[in-house]
Amino acid sequence: MNRIIKGKQSLLFENAPYIVSAASVTGSKEAEGPLGKLFDMTNEDDLFGAQTWEEAESTMQKEACVLALGKAHVKADEIRYLFGGDLLRQGIATSMGVEALQIPMFGLYGACSTSGEALALAGMSAAAGYGKYMLAVTSSHFGSAEKEFRFPLGYANQRPLSAHWTVTGSGAFLVRAAEPDSDSKNGQSRCEKTALPSEDDISTAHISHVRIAGVTIGKIVDYGLKDSQNMGACMAPAAMDTIVQNFEDTGRNEQDYDRIITGDLGYVGQSILFDLVRGKGYDIRKIHLDCGMTIFDRETQDTHAGGSGCGCAAVTLASFILPKIENGEWKRVLFVPTGALMSTVSFNEGASVPGIAHGIILEHWT
Amino acid sequence: MNRIIKGKQSLLFENAPYIVSAASVTGSKEAEGPLGKLFDMTNEDDLFGAQTWEEAESTMQKEACVLALGKAHVKADEIRYLFGGDLLRQGIATSMGVEALQIPMFGLYGACSTSGEALALAGMSAAAGYGKYMLAVTSSHFGSAEKEFRFPLGYANQRPLSAHWTVTGSGAFLVRAAEPDSDSKNGQSRCEKTALPSEDDISTAHISHVRIAGVTIGKIVDYGLKDSQNMGACMAPAAMDTIVQNFEDTGRNEQDYDRIITGDLGYVGQSILFDLVRGKGYDIRKIHLDCGMTIFDRETQDTHAGGSGCGCAAVTLASFILPKIENGEWKRVLFVPTGALMSTVSFNEGASVPGIAHGIILEHWT
């Protein structure tokens, strides 16, 4: 059986699946940011040839999937299952985006944590032997998200400094099962004990040294905050909960990770996260990154607390994080996309904004 | 490895997990319908003590989960992962509903197919050995759904005869992994070869003879229909696709199932389904049921095309279908919840309404 259950919320895979390719598609503002040159595809007017923001977001998802497949020379009909989601009501960006691929699919909603949710389920399904290839994809779009959660762009509403800027982008990840039984007998998911890729793998895949070694699935964490314009504060407790749970489940601590990378806590959420984690006896300040802080330049891009959205963590992982794990600069990363669980209806009815965060353990293997 | 991959979209589990308990919570109209006496909990004013329809829906989800756990004498902290979803934007009924249970959770969106999606993932996770217990829950509420997709109830808008009546209800299912290796060597998921429940199981569980023998995960199927008030027609092609794929993947046909039960095609969708399936060379008329047609009385309840919603298939499964499998009246059932993938935004922008359907193979075992 290809799994080890660890603690309450985590799984470490005996025969860990790997990420064989990844692709990032973003809008113009992201292209002008610090990671701009790393994205696979960007678009000048953020419409990607479509008539609406929602269609544009769908187009990004489709392009990201097609690019990820193309990089690994894998056809859509070789993909067993697709796990995808976005921020829009009823997930229409995903259902319109992946329709053309005709892959059996699971629609997901985890707010901005969805890239973690999708990677977790893709990894779990591949590790369970349910198919050779799984595809995980998420997206967000500034135009569609403002319309969904706040105001249409034409209103030109002002935003508080604690507000995030939704990333226009989509990231797709092709997850491949390890060779059967390659290391199923040793009960460890360590780099040195995993299967080597075949010659064929090395020649065709852009990524061949990154494995999904395990996952820590998050609970809903609610500190009672109600300010939907301060999502960093709403999500920080969930990020803390998942990170600390990962440490407890695996017997590790901050010294066992080269980086712990949250999704989109931003500047406000990061400082809260540091305090909360310190209260549990850990100090992650030296190894922490946040995709929302990485993707935009705070000084020049006027994005307030930082980037956010299902696409934020996804495109940062695809373009910036995975290459560093692939080349061995980082040996083990805990990737923790964070989500704020709210809607305009729950906000208007006075409900709080709970958070959720899913942890994905990514390891370099040779 | 506990799985057999069958064909393109299906999995048959070698060591199939079972449904150890199920619970149904519904509103007043459902209580007056043909299945009324079978539901575990109903409420007179459909508010369940809450102030809003959304909160009421959340309460139903929580109560359904608590009831399902209670029936099996399992505590929430024994549940490894929860898979849940609803119809509302950003899935707030689920995140508000299951928050108190503090179970690591995956938020799902598959429109009215979500109960199938949740059961599939719960079954896949249990069969993979990722934990002993998984919980699947979905809900819908007439008041919150009308507000979400059409008009607030106070508008008293008229509805065409092809429209569905969203079921106010929530169904929860506790899925338990089979005993390890109990029948992992025979490579079959047949009733007579599965593990027997222990004495303890028999004395504590309300259900002990129903297994999730396999799944057929659906693709998005789009015939280009745009009438969101005729969801039966929009979803029927997806139901056909999944049913026929299940036949092809497993080498079975309509004679191998005692019942094929769709989610909420209703009267309009059923006749389309029959035609489409006949076009593929099968005839399921004698064994077909539809939860949307079963849950309301067409003559007296004025529900037009039938019931719909994430809760429709879920409460019908929990209250009506599972007992018939449990007592052996039906030996093998293909349960196929169907979803129409749309939002008010996609509808207003002129997008079509594609469908999706997930098939769950439920078997009586002794």
Side-chain angles (χ1 to χ4, degrees):
Chain A
M1 192 75 70
N2 179 20
R3 54 96 186 80
I4 315 173
I5 299 171
K6 282 278 182 181
K8 284 187 179 174
Q9 297 173 217
S10 305
L11 301 169
L12 292 186
F13 302 120
E14 258 184 20
N15 209 4
Y18 49 98
I19 297 179
V20 77
S21 74
S24 54
V25 177
T26 76
S28 55
K29 193 177 184 82
E30 294 70 23
E32 292 162 4
L35 306 183
K37 292 207 167 76
L38 303 176
F39 300 129
D40 294 307
M41 180 190 287
T42 62
N43 185 263
E44 276 183 12
D45 68 359
D46 297 354
L47 272 169
F48 293 85
Q51 298 292 314
T52 66
W53 300 131
E54 291 75 20
E55 263 184 68
E57 188 174 340
S58 297
T59 304
M60 287 196 300
Q61 276 215 14
K62 190 171 112 185
E63 293 297 339
C65 289
V66 169
L67 278 168
L69 294 173
K71 285 185 183 187
H73 301 286
V74 171
K75 292 177 199 153
D77 65 8
E78 296 177 65
I79 310 300
R80 190 71 189 184
Y81 299 131
L82 181 150
F83 301 87
D86 58 85
L87 297 180
L88 303 181
R89 63 186 70 173
Q90 290 81 48
I92 53 163
T94 303
S95 47
M96 295 197 303
V98 306
E99 182 183 323
L101 300 171
Q102 287 293 291
I103 301 169
M105 67 95 70
F106 293 92
L108 309 178
Y109 187 80
C112 307
S113 75
T114 310
S115 59
E117 186 181 353
L119 278 168
L121 287 170
M124 288 162 65
S125 296
Y130 292 150
K132 185 173 177 183
Y133 289 111
M134 308 285 166
L135 193 58
V137 62
T138 60
S139 69
S140 54
H141 192 295
F142 181 71
S144 63
E146 287 295 297
K147 181 166 133 189
E148 178 75 29
F149 292 100
R150 288 163 285 266
F151 298 98
L153 295 188
Y155 281 34
N157 68 307
Q158 284 203 314
R159 302 144 56 80
L161 288 175
S162 62
H164 287 247
W165 188 281
T166 305
V167 164
T168 298
S170 175
F173 306 90
L174 184 60
V175 176
R176 178 174 164 168
E179 298 301 316
D181 301 323
S182 60
D183 61 349
S184 63
K185 292 190 182 69
N186 65 44
Q188 296 286 324
S189 72
R190 293 308 308 258
C191 317
E192 65 273 18
K193 293 177 184 171
T194 52
L196 287 170
S198 67
E199 284 289 322
D200 181 57
D201 286 333
I202 293 169
S203 64
T204 60
H206 276 60
I207 303 173
S208 51
H209 299 91
V210 182
R211 292 191 113 168
I212 300 177
V215 299
T216 301
I217 304 306
K219 301 190 301 276
I220 296 175
V221 180
D222 190 354
Y223 279 24
L225 298 171
K226 295 187 175 187
D227 184 359
S228 68
Q229 296 270 36
N230 187 353
M231 292 195 298
C234 297
M235 297 186 291
M240 178 276 286
D241 195 80
T242 296
I243 292 166
V244 171
Q245 192 69 51
N246 177 274
F247 291 168
E248 291 180 2
D249 284 353
T250 61
R252 295 174 183 160
N253 62 31
E254 64 269 29
Q255 293 175 350
D256 295 301
Y257 290 101
D258 293 303
R259 289 292 183 282
I260 292 176
I261 306 178
T262 49
D264 48 4
L265 297 181
Y267 296 92
V268 177
Q270 185 193 47
S271 64
I272 298 171
L273 175 67
F274 287 166
D275 286 348
L276 291 173
V277 169
R278 207 175 321 152
K280 297 287 182 182
Y282 302 99
D283 185 351
I284 61 169
R285 283 176 296 177
K286 285 187 187 161
I287 55 163
H288 181 256
L289 287 177
D290 183 75
C291 299
M293 295 162 65
T294 306
I295 196 166
F296 292 125
D297 184 324
R298 191 186 196 183
E299 303 303 320
T300 63
Q301 291 197 288
D302 196 28
T303 45
H304 297 351
S308 68
C310 277
C312 177
V315 301
T316 306
L317 177 63
S319 67
F320 176 68
I321 301 169
L322 286 181
K324 286 192 183 289
I325 306 175
E326 168 72 7
N327 71 20
E329 186 177 336
W330 296 336
K331 300 289 190 196
R332 186 187 286 145
V333 167
L334 183 59
F335 176 63
V336 191
T338 44
L341 298 168
M342 55 149 190
S343 76
T344 48
V345 175
S346 68
F347 177 77
N348 288 335
E349 290 175 353
S352 61
V353 182
I356 192 164
H358 301 297
I360 311 294
I361 304 167
L362 299 170
E363 288 183 354
H364 176 84
W365 65 297
T366 51
Chain B
M1 193 73 72
N2 179 19
R3 54 96 186 81
I4 314 174
I5 299 172
K6 281 278 182 181
K8 285 187 179 173
Q9 297 172 220
S10 305
L11 300 170
L12 292 185
F13 302 121
E14 258 184 17
N15 209 3
Y18 48 98
I19 297 179
V20 78
S21 73
S24 54
V25 177
T26 76
S28 55
K29 194 177 184 84
E30 293 71 23
E32 293 161 4
L35 305 184
K37 291 206 166 75
L38 303 177
F39 300 129
D40 294 306
M41 181 190 286
T42 62
N43 185 262
E44 277 184 11
D45 68 359
D46 296 354
L47 271 170
F48 295 86
Q51 297 292 314
T52 66
W53 300 131
E54 291 75 20
E55 263 184 67
E57 188 174 341
S58 296
T59 305
M60 287 195 300
Q61 275 215 14
K62 190 170 112 184
E63 293 296 338
C65 289
V66 169
L67 278 167
L69 294 173
K71 285 185 184 187
H73 301 285
V74 171
K75 292 176 198 154
D77 65 9
E78 296 177 67
I79 310 301
R80 189 72 190 184
Y81 299 130
L82 181 150
F83 301 86
D86 58 84
L87 297 179
L88 303 182
R89 62 186 71 173
Q90 288 81 46
I92 52 163
T94 303
S95 46
M96 296 197 301
V98 306
E99 183 184 321
L101 300 172
Q102 287 292 292
I103 302 169
M105 68 95 69
F106 293 92
L108 309 178
Y109 188 79
C112 307
S113 76
T114 309
S115 58
E117 185 180 353
L119 278 169
L121 287 170
M124 287 162 66
S125 296
Y130 291 150
K132 185 172 177 184
Y133 289 111
M134 308 286 165
L135 193 58
V137 62
T138 60
S139 69
S140 55
H141 192 296
F142 181 71
S144 62
E146 286 296 298
K147 182 165 134 190
E148 178 75 28
F149 292 100
R150 288 163 284 266
F151 298 99
L153 295 188
Y155 281 33
N157 68 308
Q158 284 203 315
R159 303 144 55 81
L161 287 175
S162 62
H164 288 247
W165 188 281
T166 304
V167 164
T168 298
S170 175
F173 305 90
L174 184 59
V175 176
R176 178 174 165 169
E179 299 301 316
D181 301 323
S182 60
D183 60 349
S184 63
K185 293 192 181 68
N186 66 44
Q188 296 287 323
S189 71
R190 293 309 306 259
C191 318
E192 64 275 17
K193 294 175 184 172
T194 53
L196 288 169
S198 68
E199 286 288 323
D200 181 59
D201 285 334
I202 293 170
S203 63
T204 60
H206 276 59
I207 304 173
S208 51
H209 300 90
V210 182
R211 295 191 110 169
I212 299 177
V215 299
T216 300
I217 305 304
K219 301 190 302 275
I220 295 174
V221 180
D222 190 354
Y223 279 24
L225 298 171
K226 295 187 175 187
D227 183 358
S228 68
Q229 297 270 35
N230 188 354
M231 293 194 299
C234 297
M235 297 185 291
M240 177 276 286
D241 195 79
T242 296
I243 292 167
V244 170
Q245 192 69 51
N246 177 274
F247 291 169
E248 291 180 2
D249 284 353
T250 61
R252 295 174 184 160
N253 62 31
E254 64 269 31
Q255 294 175 347
D256 295 300
Y257 291 101
D258 294 303
R259 288 292 182 282
I260 292 176
I261 306 177
T262 48
D264 49 3
L265 296 182
Y267 296 92
V268 178
Q270 186 193 46
S271 64
I272 299 171
L273 174 68
F274 288 166
D275 285 348
L276 291 173
V277 168
R278 206 175 322 152
K280 297 288 182 182
Y282 303 99
D283 185 350
I284 61 169
R285 284 175 297 176
K286 285 187 186 159
I287 54 163
H288 181 256
L289 287 178
D290 183 75
C291 300
M293 295 162 65
T294 306
I295 196 166
F296 292 125
D297 184 325
R298 192 185 195 183
E299 302 303 320
T300 63
Q301 292 197 288
D302 196 28
T303 46
H304 296 352
S308 67
C310 276
C312 176
V315 301
T316 306
L317 177 62
S319 66
F320 176 68
I321 302 168
L322 287 181
K324 286 193 183 289
I325 305 174
E326 169 72 7
N327 71 19
E329 186 177 337
W330 296 337
K331 299 289 189 194
R332 186 187 286 146
V333 166
L334 183 59
F335 175 64
V336 191
T338 44
L341 299 167
M342 54 147 190
S343 76
T344 48
V345 175
S346 69
F347 177 77
N348 288 336
E349 289 176 353
S352 61
V353 182
I356 191 165
H358 301 298
I360 311 294
I361 304 168
L362 298 170
E363 288 182 355
H364 176 84
W365 65 296
T366 51

